[in-house]
Amino acid sequence: MKFKDETKTAQIFSATLKLVQQKGLSGITMSEIAKAARIATGTLYIYFKNKPDLINALFTYCRKNATNIYFDNYEESAPFKTGFKIIWSNLVKFRMDHFDQAVFLDQCYHSPFITENTKEITRKMIQPLYKLVERGKEEKFLKDIDNMLLLTFMSGSINEFIKYSNYSGKKILSSDTGLLFQLCWDALKA
Amino acid sequence: MKFKDETKTAQIFSATLKLVQQKGLSGITMSEIAKAARIATGTLYIYFKNKPDLINALFTYCRKNATNIYFDNYEESAPFKTGFKIIWSNLVKFRMDHFDQAVFLDQCYHSPFITENTKEITRKMIQPLYKLVERGKEEKFLKDIDNMLLLTFMSGSINEFIKYSNYSGKKILSSDTGLLFQLCWDALKA
Amino acid sequence: MKFKDETKTAQIFSATLKLVQQKGLSGITMSEIAKAARIATGTLYIYFKNKPDLINALFTYCRKNATNIYFDNYEESAPFKTGFKIIWSNLVKFRMDHFDQAVFLDQCYHSPFITENTKEITRKMIQPLYKLVERGKEEKFLKDIDNMLLLTFMSGSINEFIKYSNYSGKKILSSDTGLLFQLCWDALKA
Amino acid sequence: MKFKDETKTAQIFSATLKLVQQKGLSGITMSEIAKAARIATGTLYIYFKNKPDLINALFTYCRKNATNIYFDNYEESAPFKTGFKIIWSNLVKFRMDHFDQAVFLDQCYHSPFITENTKEITRKMIQPLYKLVERGKEEKFLKDIDNMLLLTFMSGSINEFIKYSNYSGKKILSSDTGLLFQLCWDALKA
DNA sequence: AATGAATGAGTTTTCATTCAT
DNA sequence: GATGAATGAAAACTCATTCAT
């Protein structure tokens, strides 16, 4: 899998994301992806050795993208609540702006495509979040409970809300995200 | 005379759930399902016209099951917080006791199998939850904000936590659910 | 294949004929036949060992029936033209009154069901026709040409006309059959 | 680049015709066709969406072919009997030279594969024959009777004779066709 | 004998992957 | 590298036949 043409890779990724959002991981074929990416089926195999490879590469791409967005604008040196709010907003931002990627990542967890190795790599990416939560507890901003409980609570509530918004077709207003943050903060604050 | 064996539907459902949890919707074949259900492939087609039909029927079954569990022990006449806690616990209970069903339902949202019709039917099932939330707001227990915001917040946070527990292999203690409820309540309370 | 219940055999035969007329030999299944005959699939196998057996038995039945009708009212002692006209009319009669059987017999010639043995038996049934044609030639009524040429000419022209009538939905009038006989006679007469 | 091989359609058609002649429409499978056409099963589905499509396409092809042959060498301006004899000979020619196609067309009339649409199209193809028969009647060459009666008589008698010849294994001599034409002409002439 | 559910071999069809151009 | 036709293994589905009741 050599990146012979960055544009093509992008086309393939975006075509795949579009299709997965429409029909799920179970419903897509290599030739559909090729057609949606406006290339020949054979060309797909120049860029990716096989289907699992393509899915794994896209998975990694999305995870990296997510992580980049999560920590955008974030400064460890800033006060805790500032940092927390930035990251929280970034979580929302990623899921809102890249809903197709969020859906794809979701679908991958139970797919036979993603290898344990790929999963392991992605686990490491969110380490900085742990650090933040840890600090929040030390500085008495957050309840002193298990990190994963805090983190899953935060991400789960965001996830579900964005999903709902997308499926119901309701636009998300900044007042909504404001309320959502308030709920989250009330939940987690010490 | 030989009659249709009603336990067979149950066998097929449970085999399918097991396989979906293991390999995702994308990874399962009709013959695998048959084998796991210890019946012949052809028999599958006596009970379900085709693969989408099987998946849709299982989807409906799981949704019904979920709804039944959600309102188990719930009395509209009880005080609000009692009722709320029961339902909250039931949400947790369903996802913990029937994690395979929760996973399956999740996977279905983007699958090409579930028809719009099936989706519509399931939407109607959670109407009573709205009523409870509505009452909670009237009685000033809950924050006066959009119902779906409250509901998705609640279910999202539960979802994610149970998922995490299952994948990490960590047993859920009753102290964990107690904490989780506390977080949720702090978030939603007026 | 024991004839346990004559009624059932008749039901099976008539159901099969109806279905073959509708969808051809290639389109019918044992369970369809059973359903059309208002019996269970398993019951079919009490009356006929298997599908080829059923088709062969029906084939034999139809051939016998055809032969019976062909020679109905026919007296070898009658004058040639009288006998010829009777048989000619009977050929028409069989195909008109039992079009489904005629269609079935037609379809069978190229089917993998009919064994050489069955075909052989049926060949023998039309021997008396040869005799008649032979006599017609001797008595100088018919052209002195190959028997099969005469016979296929006769039956072919009848066949096609009845087929056309059935497919176009046009009722056959006795004036039509009169004309048809005239054509045939003009062709074959010495 | 690789282009669709147009000879492949011909290979598939000829393989199908061969098999249908051998075992009838009811006895052929897609993989047998593929094998006989020396291609992979999947390749069949590049050229034809499914089995009914293949059969319908072949049906249309054979009907077109038949029609072309029927009117080969035929000039409307020629004297009636010349034109009539040419077409009559062409009818014989098609059935003799392309007996497999004639058999296939015959088998199709009651098959579940041929759609009403396909049947309709083929009906239109023999319109010119009507015109000829019409003219024959006007010019007092033919008996003044229903067109279809004349036409089915003609084609039916040819059909059956060629069928007989093929199944009995008897070679058709030009003297046979001469006689057959004589019979037909005697029948139809005014 | 009658039933119709169950079976599994066989059929149709799909699709990841290869290959000739 | 790009193409899309070709491949064939595997999936979905059918159906003649059996079998428990």
Side-chain angles (χ1 to χ4, degrees):
Chain A
M1 161 197 152
K2 287 170 206 156
F3 283 71
K4 278 124 198 173
D5 180 344
E6 282 294 333
T7 320
K8 286 235 169 73
T9 309
Q11 277 172 43
I12 294 168
F13 278 174
S14 115
T16 308
L17 289 171
K18 195 185 84 187
L19 289 169
V20 170
Q21 194 179 347
Q22 277 167 23
K23 338 166 73 186
L25 251 188
S26 44
I28 55 167
T29 67
M30 290 299 264
S31 66
E32 272 181 320
I33 293 172
K35 195 173 290 172
R38 297 168 177 283
I39 58 173
T41 326
T43 313
L44 222 44
Y45 286 82
I46 294 167
Y47 290 83
F48 301 97
K49 212 178 85 237
N50 52 33
K51 194 174 180 182
D53 257 42
L54 162 55
I55 302 296
N56 273 281
L58 179 53
F59 183 84
T60 303
Y61 166 79
C62 291
R63 279 268 43 135
K64 268 189 191 143
N65 187 230
T67 311
N68 285 341
I69 291 175
Y70 291 171
F71 297 104
D72 189 33
N73 259 325
Y74 171 67
E75 309 265 353
E76 288 206 10
S77 54
F80 171 77
K81 197 172 172 182
T82 309
F84 180 82
K85 190 157 191 179
I86 282 172
I87 285 186
W88 188 93
S89 302
N90 285 339
L91 288 172
V92 171
K93 194 177 163 54
F94 171 71
R95 281 174 175 73
M96 269 174 61
D97 296 352
H98 306 283
F99 185 62
D100 52 359
Q101 294 185 32
V103 165
F104 173 76
L105 289 171
D106 248 37
Q107 291 259 321
C108 282
Y109 284 112
H110 282 279
S111 91
F113 296 117
I114 303 304
T115 60
E116 268 316 304
N117 188 36
T118 305
K119 282 181 187 168
E120 182 52 32
I121 289 165
T122 66
R123 254 173 238 129
K124 286 181 185 149
M125 287 180 167
I126 47 155
Q127 291 304 321
L129 261 176
Y130 280 89
K131 243 171 101 180
L132 179 69
V133 166
E134 208 60 66
R135 176 182 160 202
K137 293 197 289 189
E138 271 163 31
E139 297 183 11
K140 309 286 184 200
F141 283 110
L142 300 183
K143 289 194 173 83
D144 186 19
I145 55 183
D146 180 67
N147 286 342
M148 281 313 288
L149 195 53
L150 289 170
L151 283 173
T152 58
F153 190 92
M154 188 165 88
S155 69
S157 58
I158 292 173
N159 255 343
E160 199 76 11
F161 175 66
I162 307 279
K163 260 196 237 172
Y164 163 70
S165 305
N166 268 279
Y167 298 145
S168 68
K170 272 187 193 153
K171 270 265 178 328
I172 299 169
L173 308 170
S174 71
S175 57
D176 292 326
T177 51
L179 282 168
L180 190 58
F181 180 76
Q182 194 56 52
L183 292 182
C184 202
W185 182 253
D186 286 349
L188 304 181
K189 75 165 181 235
Chain B
M1 266 230 278
K2 217 170 177 181
F3 283 109
K4 260 193 201 175
D5 180 356
E6 265 319 305
T7 65
K8 230 153 239 159
T9 307
Q11 278 173 51
I12 294 168
F13 279 173
S14 109
T16 308
L17 288 170
K18 197 185 82 188
L19 289 169
V20 170
Q21 195 179 349
Q22 277 167 26
K23 338 165 77 186
L25 251 188
S26 35
I28 56 167
T29 69
M30 290 300 263
S31 66
E32 273 180 319
I33 293 173
K35 196 173 290 172
R38 297 167 176 282
I39 58 174
T41 332
T43 311
L44 224 43
Y45 288 85
I46 294 171
Y47 290 84
F48 303 97
K49 215 177 84 245
N50 50 36
K51 194 174 178 181
D53 258 41
L54 162 54
I55 302 296
N56 273 281
L58 180 52
F59 183 84
T60 301
Y61 167 79
C62 291
R63 280 264 45 133
K64 269 190 191 141
N65 187 230
T67 311
N68 286 340
I69 291 175
Y70 290 172
F71 297 102
D72 189 32
N73 261 325
Y74 171 67
E75 308 265 351
E76 288 206 8
S77 54
F80 171 77
K81 198 173 172 183
T82 310
F84 181 82
K85 189 156 192 180
I86 283 172
I87 286 186
W88 188 93
S89 303
N90 286 339
L91 289 172
V92 171
K93 194 176 161 57
F94 170 71
R95 281 172 175 72
M96 270 175 59
D97 295 353
H98 305 284
F99 185 62
D100 52 0
Q101 293 185 34
V103 165
F104 174 75
L105 289 171
D106 250 37
Q107 290 258 320
C108 282
Y109 283 111
H110 283 280
S111 95
F113 298 119
I114 304 303
T115 62
E116 267 315 307
N117 188 36
T118 304
K119 282 181 186 167
E120 181 55 31
I121 289 165
T122 64
R123 254 173 236 130
K124 287 179 184 149
M125 287 179 168
I126 48 154
Q127 292 303 322
L129 262 175
Y130 281 88
K131 240 172 104 180
L132 179 70
V133 167
E134 207 60 65
R135 176 182 162 202
K137 293 197 291 190
E138 272 164 30
E139 297 184 11
K140 310 286 183 198
F141 283 109
L142 300 184
K143 290 193 171 84
D144 187 19
I145 55 181
D146 181 67
N147 287 341
M148 280 314 288
L149 196 53
L150 289 170
L151 283 172
T152 58
F153 191 92
M154 186 165 90
S155 68
S157 57
I158 292 173
N159 255 343
E160 199 75 11
F161 174 65
I162 308 279
K163 261 196 240 172
Y164 163 68
S165 305
N166 268 279
Y167 298 144
S168 67
K170 273 190 193 149
K171 269 265 180 316
I172 299 168
L173 309 170
S174 72
S175 57
D176 291 327
T177 53
L179 280 169
L180 190 59
F181 180 76
Q182 195 56 53
L183 292 182
C184 201
W185 182 254
D186 287 348
L188 305 181
K189 75 166 180 232
Chain C
M1 163 197 148
K2 287 169 207 159
F3 283 70
K4 279 125 197 173
D5 180 343
E6 281 296 332
T7 319
K8 287 238 167 72
T9 309
Q11 278 172 45
I12 293 168
F13 279 173
S14 115
T16 309
L17 289 170
K18 197 185 83 188
L19 289 169
V20 170
Q21 195 180 346
Q22 278 167 24
K23 337 165 74 187
L25 252 186
S26 43
I28 56 167
T29 67
M30 291 299 265
S31 67
E32 270 181 321
I33 294 172
K35 196 174 290 171
R38 296 169 177 283
I39 58 174
T41 327
T43 313
L44 222 45
Y45 286 84
I46 294 167
Y47 290 83
F48 302 97
K49 214 179 83 237
N50 53 34
K51 194 176 180 181
D53 258 41
L54 162 53
I55 302 295
N56 273 282
L58 180 52
F59 183 83
T60 302
Y61 167 80
C62 291
R63 279 268 45 136
K64 269 188 192 145
N65 187 230
T67 312
N68 285 341
I69 291 174
Y70 290 171
F71 298 103
D72 189 32
N73 260 326
Y74 172 67
E75 309 266 353
E76 288 206 10
S77 53
F80 171 76
K81 197 171 173 183
T82 311
F84 181 82
K85 190 157 191 178
I86 283 172
I87 286 186
W88 188 93
S89 303
N90 286 340
L91 288 172
V92 171
K93 196 174 158 59
F94 171 71
R95 280 175 175 73
M96 269 175 60
D97 296 351
H98 306 284
F99 185 63
D100 52 359
Q101 293 184 33
V103 165
F104 173 75
L105 289 171
D106 249 38
Q107 292 258 320
C108 281
Y109 285 111
H110 282 279
S111 90
F113 295 117
I114 303 304
T115 60
E116 266 317 305
N117 188 36
T118 305
K119 281 181 187 168
E120 182 53 31
I121 290 166
T122 66
R123 256 173 236 131
K124 286 180 185 149
M125 286 179 168
I126 48 157
Q127 291 304 321
L129 260 176
Y130 281 90
K131 243 171 101 178
L132 180 70
V133 167
E134 207 60 67
R135 176 183 161 201
K137 291 198 291 191
E138 272 165 29
E139 297 183 12
K140 308 286 185 201
F141 283 109
L142 301 183
K143 290 194 172 86
D144 186 20
I145 53 182
D146 180 66
N147 287 342
M148 281 313 289
L149 194 52
L150 290 169
L151 284 171
T152 57
F153 190 92
M154 187 165 89
S155 69
S157 57
I158 292 173
N159 256 344
E160 198 76 10
F161 176 65
I162 308 278
K163 260 196 239 171
Y164 163 68
S165 305
N166 268 278
Y167 297 146
S168 67
K170 274 189 192 149
K171 270 267 179 321
I172 299 169
L173 309 170
S174 71
S175 57
D176 292 326
T177 53
L179 281 168
L180 190 59
F181 180 75
Q182 195 57 54
L183 292 182
C184 202
W185 183 253
D186 287 348
L188 305 182
K189 75 167 180 234
Chain D
M1 266 227 281
K2 217 171 176 179
F3 283 109
K4 261 195 202 173
D5 179 357
E6 266 318 306
T7 66
K8 233 156 235 154
T9 307
Q11 278 173 52
I12 294 169
F13 279 173
S14 108
T16 309
L17 288 171
K18 198 184 82 188
L19 289 169
V20 170
Q21 195 181 347
Q22 278 167 24
K23 337 165 78 187
L25 251 187
S26 35
I28 56 167
T29 68
M30 291 298 265
S31 66
E32 273 180 321
I33 294 172
K35 196 173 290 172
R38 297 168 177 283
I39 57 174
T41 332
T43 311
L44 226 42
Y45 287 84
I46 294 170
Y47 290 85
F48 302 98
K49 217 177 85 246
N50 51 35
K51 194 175 179 179
D53 258 42
L54 163 54
I55 302 295
N56 272 280
L58 179 52
F59 183 83
T60 302
Y61 167 79
C62 291
R63 280 266 42 136
K64 268 189 193 145
N65 188 230
T67 310
N68 286 340
I69 290 175
Y70 291 171
F71 297 102
D72 189 31
N73 260 325
Y74 171 67
E75 308 266 352
E76 288 206 10
S77 53
F80 170 76
K81 199 173 169 182
T82 310
F84 181 82
K85 189 155 191 181
I86 283 172
I87 286 186
W88 188 92
S89 302
N90 286 340
L91 289 172
V92 172
K93 195 176 159 57
F94 171 70
R95 282 173 176 75
M96 270 175 60
D97 295 352
H98 305 284
F99 185 63
D100 53 359
Q101 293 184 34
V103 165
F104 174 75
L105 288 171
D106 250 37
Q107 290 259 319
C108 281
Y109 283 111
H110 283 280
S111 94
F113 298 118
I114 303 303
T115 61
E116 266 316 305
N117 188 36
T118 304
K119 283 182 186 166
E120 181 53 31
I121 289 165
T122 65
R123 255 173 237 131
K124 286 179 186 150
M125 286 181 169
I126 47 154
Q127 292 303 323
L129 262 175
Y130 281 89
K131 240 172 104 181
L132 179 70
V133 166
E134 207 62 65
R135 177 184 161 201
K137 292 196 292 189
E138 271 164 30
E139 298 184 10
K140 310 287 185 200
F141 283 109
L142 300 184
K143 290 192 171 85
D144 186 19
I145 55 182
D146 182 66
N147 288 340
M148 281 314 288
L149 196 52
L150 291 168
L151 284 172
T152 58
F153 191 92
M154 187 166 90
S155 69
S157 56
I158 292 173
N159 255 343
E160 200 76 10
F161 174 66
I162 309 276
K163 260 195 239 172
Y164 163 68
S165 306
N166 268 279
Y167 296 144
S168 66
K170 275 189 192 149
K171 269 265 181 317
I172 299 169
L173 308 171
S174 71
S175 57
D176 293 325
T177 53
L179 282 168
L180 191 58
F181 180 75
Q182 195 56 54
L183 292 182
C184 202
W185 183 254
D186 287 347
L188 305 182
K189 74 164 180 237

